[in-house]
C-alpha cells in the first residue's frame, strides 16, 4: 500500500515534458506512493502535445493537463519585459526566466484544482529554473510542498549518471530517446531557445554548427533586408506592418509570432555569453531571441524619443532592477510587482511608430514618429532660432562651472 | 588702434577648423581687436593640416598650433571609456564627447604657453560641444575667458543666415566651400563620425545614401566574416590578432586604428538615435563607431566572464553615471575623476582573450578565455557534481521564499 | 506715459512680502511702466496679512491677492514629502523647497486670472529660490515672463548695498524697518524656518542665541517627555493622539499644526548644516522643522515595519531622487511627477500606529503596531520554531558562499 | 573511542562565550568525538576573560585562545564604516555586523594555526550572525567546515527548550546562570550593545526600564551639555578634544573609547527599530551606539562640507550598498572590498574639525572648519558679489526649463 511510503497516496502535480528525465520521475514518484497529475504548459515550444499526453497516461499519470498559455505569455510577461527593456547582464533577454513564473502559476492552479498538496519538477540542482519555479509556487501558494528529485539524495544517488537512468528506463518500459542527444541542453518557448551545458561548458568552445533552431545563420539570411514598421501604444507593440509584403498584424500573439518569423529569417537575436546564475556560479549560455530583440530595439528607440530625459534616467534604474528580479525568479514578489507597476506608469506616452530594416543579424533603426514625442524639430533646428536664446546657454555653462572652478582652486591650493 | 575695441589687443586661442565658420570668426575676432592664435587638435580626423595652417596664417592668425593628440586620445580617453562600457542613453558610444575634453585641455595648454587669457570656438549655442569645451576649459584654468561668437548677439545677429556669412567671406577674401555643403553636419575623429541637423532633423527621415564615411554599407561588406582575437589586461585592449590575415597589433593606437579598419570593412557600429542633449532638447544623431563598438562588445564579454557578479552590479551603476558625465561635458570634474578611478580599480582582474567574428554589421562573440576568470567549469558542469551539494539549493530557495510567503499571507488577509 | 518704458503698461504679478526689498521692487516696477498686482501666499508663516495688503495698495499695487494655501501645502506637498522621507543631503527636510512650487503655482494662477504676462519676485541671484520659483512658473505656464530684479543689472547696480535701498525708500516714502535687521536672513512657513547668510556665512560660527523661533532651546524644554501616537494610512498621518493630554487631531492641517506645537515645545527638529545649492556653491543653513521631523521619524519606522525589504530598497532610491528633485526646484517636472506617483504606489500598505516620546530635542520611537505588517512574531521568535526549518539556513549560507569561495580560489591562484 | 563518532578525533575551534549555550556545545562536541579549541574574541565587550578561560578548560577544551582585537576593530572595521556612513535601513549603525567578520577572521586564523578543519559557533538558525560568521569563514578559508549545532537536528531536537539545556548542564556539571536571565538577549562589543527577542519580540512593547547598559537614560543625563571638537583626516577621526575638560585623545582606540564614554554619559545613540534580517524576516532590535553615533554625525557634516556635491551623490549610493553588504555578512566579498576601496578613495580631502555639543540624547553640530573645504565664504555671501554674475543664473534657469516647457506643451496638446 502506498500509505507506508513517503508519498502515502498524496497527489502531486508534475511538470512533465515527456522526456527521459521527467518520465523517470513520473514513475519514481509513483514508486514513492504518490498519485501523479502530469502537467505541461504550452508556451509556444515546438512539441507534439498529444504524444506527451499519451506517454504520461501510459506511465501511470492520473491525468495530463496541457493549458495553452501562449497569449498570456505574450501580454502579461513579454510585453512588460519589453516595456522594461528587461535584460540580464546587459545582454540576455530573459526568455526562460519570463516563462517560468507563468508555468509555475498555471501549475499551482492545477494543484489547487486537483486538490494536490505537492508539485514536482525535473530541474537540476545547479540551475536557475528550480529557483524560478519554486519561488513562484511558494509566492502564489505558500503552503505548497515541492518535490525536487534532482536535489533529493534518494533520487540523485540512485541516478548518478545517464547509464543508471537508461537501465531504470528499460526496466520500466520508458522508451529511450531515439535520436542521439545533442551534446548540449536546450530550453525552448515562444520567446527564445537557450542552449547550455555539454560542449558549451567550455566557454572558449565556439557554438557548433547546427545549434540554432529559430534563426538561420547570418550567412544564409536573405541578401536583401526587409523594412517593417512597429507601432507602440503605452510601450506595447500594437501593430507590425511589412509594407513590401503587405502584411499587418495587430493581435499581440500574432505580432510576436510574426516578429519571430521575420527575426528568424534575418538571423536576428543571437547572443553568446557567460552569465552569473542565481546561485552564484558563472555559466555559459547561448540564446536566440528573434522577435524579442526586434521589439526591445524598437521600444528603446521610441521610449527615448517620447520620454523625458530625467524621467527615463529613473526608469532606467528600475529597468535594471527588473531584469535582475526576473532572472533570479522573483517575478511574483512585492518588489517586482512594484517595479512593474512603476514601469507601466512610465509608459503612458510611449507611443509611436518605429521603422526598421532587418538585415543579416541586425536591426537597423531607420526612423521614428510619434504624436506624443517631446522632440521639437523647430527648437533643435540649426537653421531656425525657435523659442531659444543662445545667450542663456552661456549662463547655464557658467553656473555649471562654479563647482569645477572651486574644485580647481582647492587643488591648486593643495599642490602649493 | 585695437585698444579701443573690445579685444584691446588681448590674445585669444581660437579652435580653428579651416572651414567657413571659424575662418569668419578668425577674421571677426581681429576686427574686435584680438590677436588670434589658431589651434587645431589632431585627434585622428581626416584633414589636410598643412592647408588649414596656411589658411589660418593667411587670414591673420599670429600662429597656428596643431598638436597630435591621437595617442593620448586612445590611452587616456577611449581606453577608460571602454573600461566603463561608456554609453549615453544605451546606445551612443560618446565619440565626440570623449574628444572634447582632450581638445579643451590642449587648447588651455596653448593659451597658457601663449599667454592668452581668452579662448574661442565656433560651436553653436544649441549644442553639446560648447558645454564640453567650456566646462573643460573652466575646470582646468578657472580664470580663462571664453569667447563664444555664436552666443554673442553682436555676432549672431550680424550673421543670421548662411547668406550673410557668404557676403562677409567674399569681402574678406575667405574662400567659400567649393563642394556643396552636405545637407547635414558632421564631426569626425579617430573614434567616430557623427551626423546631425539638416535633413536629419526630421527624425523619421531615413539616413540618406552616402552619408557614412568610416563604414561600408552592410550590403557591400564582405560575404565572409573575419575572426579576430582581442586580448585585455586590466580592462584595456593590449593585443589584437587576426590569425587568418596574420596580423597582430599591440600598440594602443595601432590596435584602435586596426579595429577601426576592420570594423569599417564589416560595417560595424552604425547607430541612429534620438538623444537628449545637455541643454534638454531632443536631437537626432547618427553615429558610426567601428572600432569602439568592437571593443565595447568584447570588453563587456570579458568583464562579465572575469568579474564577480555583485561587484559588477555596483560597477554597472558607476558605468551609467560615467556615460552621463562624459556626455554632459564633466570629464574634468570631481565626480568624473572619482568615477574613473573607481572603474579603473574594478578592472584589476579583467583580463583574457575574446574571440569574435565580424560579419555584416555585427560582432559575434565566439568564445573567451582567461587566467583570471571566476568561471569554474567543473563547478557548473551538469555531468560532474563538483564541490556542490544540490540539497543546499533547497535551503537557499526556502529562505528566499520566506519574504514571499509572508507577503502572500498578508495579501490574503487583506482580501478577506 | 508708461508706453515708452520697458513695462509699457503690462501687468505683472509680484510676490510681495511687505518688506523693504519687495516694497522697493513694487515701486521700481511701476517706475518701469508696469502695473503691479501684489501677491502673497499664506503658507502658514507668522504674518499680519492685512498690514501687508495695506502697504501694497499704498505703494501703488492695483490689488493685493492673498490666497490661503495652508491646507494644500500640507496635503499636496508635505504629505508626499513624508511618504518619500524626503531629505536633501541626508538632513535638510526641504521646508522651503516644498513651499516654493506651491507659491509659484498660485502665483501663475493669479497671473492667468489677472491677465498678467509677467511675474516678478525678490529672490536673490545666488540662491535656490529664484530657481524653484521660475522653474515652477515656466513648467506651469511656459510663456510666462519672469522679472527678477536682483539679476537685472539696471536694478542691482542701482542698489549695490543697503544704503542705496534706504535712500530710495526714503524718497518713495517706503518705511524703513523699525526693528534692526537680524544679522541673518530667514524664511518661514508652516513647515519650518530656515536661517542663513550674515553671521552664519562663517560655517564655524555657532548659531547665535535667540536665533530659533519655532522651537525652544533644548535646555528650556520640559523636564518630562510627552508620549504621542501617530496613525498612518497609505503613508499619510491620519490621526495624532496625546493620551495624557486627551488631545486627538485628524484633519491634516490640524495634525500638522499640533505636531509643530509639540515639536516646538520639546525642541525637536533643529539642524545646522553646510549644503550644496542648486547653482553649485556650498552654503550654510540652519533649520528648525519640528512637526516634519516627528513625522519623518514615525513614517520611516512604520514604513520599514510594514513594507517588504526589497521593495523598500527600490523605494529608497526613489526617495533619494525625490529629495534632490524637490531641492533643485523640479517639483513640476516629468521626473518628479513620476517619482511621486511611484512613491505613492509604494504606500498602499504603509499603515499603522507609531508610539513616540518627545523629549529635549529627540523623538524616541517606543513601539509600533499595524494590521498590515509583514512582521510575524511567531516566525521570528527565538522560543518557537514557527514555520521555519533551521537547516534551510545552512543551504542558504552555502549557496551564498559559492561566489566567495571562487573568488578566494582565484586570489590564491593569483598570489601563487 | 572517538574514532567511531562523527567527530572522529578531528579538531574544531569553537567560538566560546562561557555562557550556558556554548558551554553545552563545548561538551556536546566532545561527545561527538571532536577535540575542541575554545576561542573568544576580545572586541571590547565587558567580560571576565580569565574566568571564561578557566571554564573552557574545565569543560574539556584543549586550550583557550583570546586574541585582543580591539584596536583592529576600530581601525579596520569601525573607521571604514564611518567613512561610508554605514547604516542599515536608515538607522542601524551595524555594531554587531561589523564585529562578526573580524571575529570570523581571527577564528579562521586560530583554526589554521591549530590545524583544525572545523569551526563551530552557538548562533541560532534564525539570526544574522550565523550568516556573517560563516560567510566570513568560507570567504577566508574556502575548505573550512562549519558545525552549527542550532541548525543540526541531532542537537536542536535534543534541546528543544531551556529545560532540556538545564538538565544536560546539571548532568555535565555546567553551572547554571546564577542571575535570572533577562527577558531579552543582548550582544555587546566596543561599538554597541544590541537587544532583541524575549519581550522585545512584541514590536509594540516599549523597551523596559533598565535595559540599556552603555548609555544613561536621557532624563538622568547631565543638565548641561558638553562641547567637543572632532578632527578628521581622510575621513577618519584623528583627534577628539574636550576643551572644558582639558582632554585630548589621538590614538584611534582611545578616541573611540572616549567618545563612547561621552556618548554614554549624554545618552547618545539609542535606536529602536524593526529591521529586515538577511533571511527575510522582520525583527525588532534595540541598539545603543554612543561613540559611533557621534562619529557618524560629525563625519557626515565634514564630508558634505568638504566634498563636491556630485561626487558625494555617487558616494552616497556606494554607502547604501556598503551598509547592506555589511549587514548581510558580505564584508569579505569582492563587492564589499571594491566598495570599501572606492569609499576610501573618496575620502582624500575629507578633513577638518567639527564642533559639537552633546546634550540629552542628541549631537548638536555647532560649526565646522577645514583647510580643504570647497566652501567659499566670499562666493556665497549675500553682501559681496564675489566672482559671480547674477545674470548667469537666468540663463541657467532658462536652459533648465527647456525640458519642462516642452513637457507642458505636450500635455496641453494631449488634453486638447
Amino acid at each position: 500500500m502506498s500509505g507506508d511510503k513517503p508519498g502515502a497516496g498524496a497527489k502531486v502535480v508534475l511538470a512533465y515534458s515527456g522526456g527521459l528525465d521527467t518520465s523517470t520521475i513520473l514513475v519514481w514518484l509513483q514508486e514513492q506512493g504518490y498519485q501523479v497529475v502530469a502537467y505541461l504548459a504550452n508556451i509556444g515550444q515546438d512539441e507534439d502535445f498529444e504524444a506527451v499526453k499519451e506517454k504520461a497516461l501510459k506511465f501511470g499519470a492520473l491525468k495530463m493537463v496541457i493549458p495553452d498559455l501562449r497569449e498570456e505569455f505574450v501580454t502579461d510577461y513579454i510585453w512588460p519585459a519589453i516595456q522594461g527593456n528587461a535584460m540580464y547582464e546587459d545582454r540576455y533577454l530573459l526568455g526562460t526566466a519570463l516563462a517560468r513564473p507563468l508555468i509555475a502559476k498555471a501549475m499551482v492552479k492545477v494543484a489547487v484544482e486537483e486538490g494536490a498538496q505537492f508539485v514536482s519538477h525535473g530541474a537540476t540542482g545547479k540551475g536557475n529554473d528550480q529557483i524560478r519555479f519554486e519561488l513562484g509556487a511558494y509566492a502564489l501558494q505558500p503552503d505548497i510542498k515541492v518535490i525536487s528529485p534532482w536535489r533529493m539524495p534518494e533520487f540523485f544517488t540512485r541516478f548518478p549518471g545517464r547509464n543508471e537512468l537508461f537501465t531504470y528506463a528499460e526496466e520500466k518500459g520508458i522508451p529511450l530517446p531515439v535520436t542521439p542527444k545533442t551534446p548540449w541542453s536546450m530550453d525552448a518557448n515562444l520567446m527564445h531557445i537557450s542552449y547550455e551545458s555539454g560542449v558549451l561548458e567550455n566557454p572558449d568552445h565556439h557554438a557548433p554548427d547546427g545549434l540554432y533552431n529559430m534563426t538561420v545563420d547570418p550567412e544564409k539570411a536573405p541578401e536583401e533586408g526587409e523594412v517593417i514598421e512597429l507601432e507602440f501604444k503605452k510601450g506595447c507593440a500594437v501593430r507590425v506592418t511589412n509594407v513590401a509584403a503587405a502584411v499587418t498584424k495587430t493581435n499581440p500573439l500574432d505580432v510576436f509570432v510574426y516578429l519571430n518569423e521575420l527575426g528568424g529569417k534575418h538571423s536576428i537575436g543571437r547572443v553568446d555569453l557567460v552569465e552569473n546564475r542565481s546561485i552564484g556560479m558563472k555559466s555559459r549560455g547561448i540564446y536566440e531571441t528573434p522577435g524579442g530583440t526586434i521589439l526591445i530595439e524598437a521600444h528603446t528607440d521610441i521610449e527615448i524619443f517620447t520620454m523625458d530625459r530625467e524621467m527615463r534616467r529613473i526608469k532606467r534604474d528600475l529597468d535594471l532592477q527588473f531584469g535582475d528580479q526576473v532572472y533570479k525568479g522573483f517575478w511574483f514578489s512585492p518588489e517586482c510587482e512594484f517595479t512593474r507597476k512603476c514601469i507601466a506608469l512610465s509608459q503612458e506616452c510611449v507611443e509611436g511608430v518605429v521603422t526598421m530594416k532587418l538585415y543579416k543579424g541586425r536591426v537597423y533603426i531607420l526612423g521614428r514618429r510619434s504624436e506624443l514625442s517631446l522632440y521639437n524639430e523647430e527648437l533643435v533646428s540649426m537653421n531656425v532660432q525657435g523659442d531659444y536664446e543662445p545667450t542663456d546657454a552661456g549662463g547655464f555653462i557658467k553656473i555649471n562651472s562654479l563647482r569645477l572652478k572651486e574644485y580647481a582652486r582647492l587643488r591648486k591650493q593643495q599642490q602649493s
Side-chain angles (χ1 to χ4, degrees), chain A:
Chain A
M1 265 191 58
S2 68
D4 304 337
K5 297 176 182 173
K11 242 190 215 174
V12 59
V13 178
L14 170 67
Y16 179 67
S17 72
L20 175 60
D21 282 48
T22 51
S23 293
T24 300
I25 293 173
L26 171 53
V27 173
W28 182 83
L29 283 169
Q30 294 173 69
E31 280 188 3
Q32 307 299 307
Y34 292 96
Q35 294 184 288
V36 186
V37 174
Y39 157 79
L40 175 58
N42 175 359
I43 43 164
Q45 70 275 50
D46 186 19
E47 186 68 70
D48 180 345
F49 292 102
E50 264 314 298
V52 176
K53 183 172 183 172
E54 262 176 53
K55 242 187 190 173
L57 298 175
K58 179 176 159 201
F59 298 127
L62 287 183
K63 66 191 287 189
M64 171 95 211
V65 186
I66 305 180
D68 183 346
L69 307 175
R70 291 175 302 158
E71 197 125 19
E72 188 176 356
F73 187 35
V74 172
T75 55
D76 293 3
Y77 295 79
I78 297 178
W79 269 198
I82 298 303
Q83 289 183 315
N85 304 311
M87 272 194 252
Y88 183 64
E89 297 189 335
D90 305 358
R91 293 173 299 168
Y92 167 37
L93 296 190
L94 298 163
T96 298
L98 285 163
R100 292 302 177 212
L102 172 56
I103 297 173
K105 185 183 167 198
M107 180 165 65
V108 162
K109 187 160 168 274
V110 173
V112 170
E113 287 167 359
E114 299 293 330
Q117 283 185 299
F118 294 83
V119 293
S120 181
H121 63 76
T124 71
K126 284 184 177 175
N128 289 314
D129 290 332
Q130 53 175 344
I131 300 172
R132 295 167 183 157
F133 256 132
E134 298 180 25
L135 288 183
Y138 290 134
L140 296 168
Q141 192 72 3
D143 54 1
I144 201 85
K145 303 268 179 295
V146 177
I147 301 170
S148 173
W150 285 118
R151 290 202 314 263
M152 298 166 79
E154 58 267 42
F155 187 86
F156 70 70
T157 56
R158 180 158 172 191
F159 302 109
R162 304 306 292 171
N163 285 342
E164 289 81 357
L165 269 184
F166 288 170
T167 309
Y168 183 84
E170 277 173 359
E171 277 173 36
K172 304 295 176 181
I174 302 169
L176 296 184
V178 281
T179 52
K181 199 172 173 301
T182 55
W184 55 76
S185 72
M186 53 185 273
D187 177 70
N189 63 41
L190 190 62
M191 188 172 179
H192 89 340
I193 302 182
S194 69
Y195 308 88
E196 62 172 1
S197 73
V199 296
L200 305 178
E201 281 167 7
N202 175 350
D204 207 22
H205 186 95
H206 302 187
D209 284 343
L211 175 109
Y212 295 98
N213 290 273
M214 290 177 92
T215 56
V216 302
D217 288 343
E219 288 83 355
K220 294 177 193 146
E223 290 305 317
E224 209 167 327
E226 207 156 356
V227 173
I228 59 168
E229 290 193 348
L230 199 48
E231 181 178 352
F232 289 88
K233 276 202 195 311
K234 302 196 179 212
C236 296
V238 296
R239 176 189 311 265
V240 57
T241 310
N242 184 334
V243 177
V247 175
T248 295
K249 307 283 180 184
T250 55
N251 168 283
L253 182 54
D254 293 345
V255 168
F256 196 75
V257 167
Y258 184 59
L259 291 175
N260 262 348
E261 186 191 306
L262 287 175
K265 175 179 168 192
H266 293 286
S267 193
I268 308 289
R270 293 183 173 185
V271 171
D272 179 325
L273 75 147
V274 169
E275 73 196 42
N276 289 284
R277 287 198 192 146
S278 297
I279 54 170
M281 47 177 76
K282 290 188 184 289
S283 158
R284 200 263 196 100
I286 293 178
Y287 302 97
E288 50 184 345
T289 319
T293 300
I294 298 171
L295 278 160
I296 217 159
E297 289 282 342
H299 179 264
T300 299
D301 189 83
I302 198 74
E303 183 174 281
I304 302 184
F305 186 52
T306 51
M307 193 180 288
D308 173 76
R309 174 184 73 191
E310 297 302 318
M311 180 168 157
R312 189 166 187 273
R313 194 159 299 160
I314 293 167
K315 195 241 168 195
R316 183 180 67 178
D317 288 341
L318 293 171
D319 288 355
L320 289 174
Q321 303 290 330
F322 179 44
D324 287 352
Q325 291 160 0
V326 173
Y327 185 86
K328 292 185 164 182
F330 287 93
W331 181 273
F332 296 114
S333 69
E335 67 271 25
C336 191
E337 282 175 21
F338 175 59
T339 308
R340 290 201 302 276
K341 278 185 205 165
C342 292
I343 289 173
L345 258 181
S346 77
Q347 302 292 297
E348 281 303 312
C349 296
V350 178
E351 93 171 45
V353 175
V354 181
T355 309
M356 292 166 277
K357 189 173 73 176
L358 312 179
Y359 176 66
K360 284 195 176 278
R362 266 205 71 184
V363 177
Y364 294 88
I365 305 286
L366 301 178
R368 71 292 286 163
R369 60 182 186 272
S370 172
E371 297 297 308
L372 296 183
S373 175
L374 292 165
Y375 186 88
N376 181 337
E377 193 168 338
E378 189 186 289
L379 179 64
V380 80
S381 171
M382 286 298 174
N383 300 317
V384 201
Q385 186 164 327
D387 182 19
Y388 184 79
E389 285 294 337
T391 45
D392 289 338
F396 178 74
I397 296 170
K398 282 286 194 60
I399 295 293
N400 272 307
S401 74
L402 258 183
R403 280 190 309 119
L404 312 185
K405 290 176 177 179
E406 291 303 308
Y407 185 64
R409 178 183 58 72
L410 179 64
R411 286 217 302 198
K412 278 189 183 155
Q413 174 189 321
Q414 273 182 279
Q415 283 154 11
S416 63

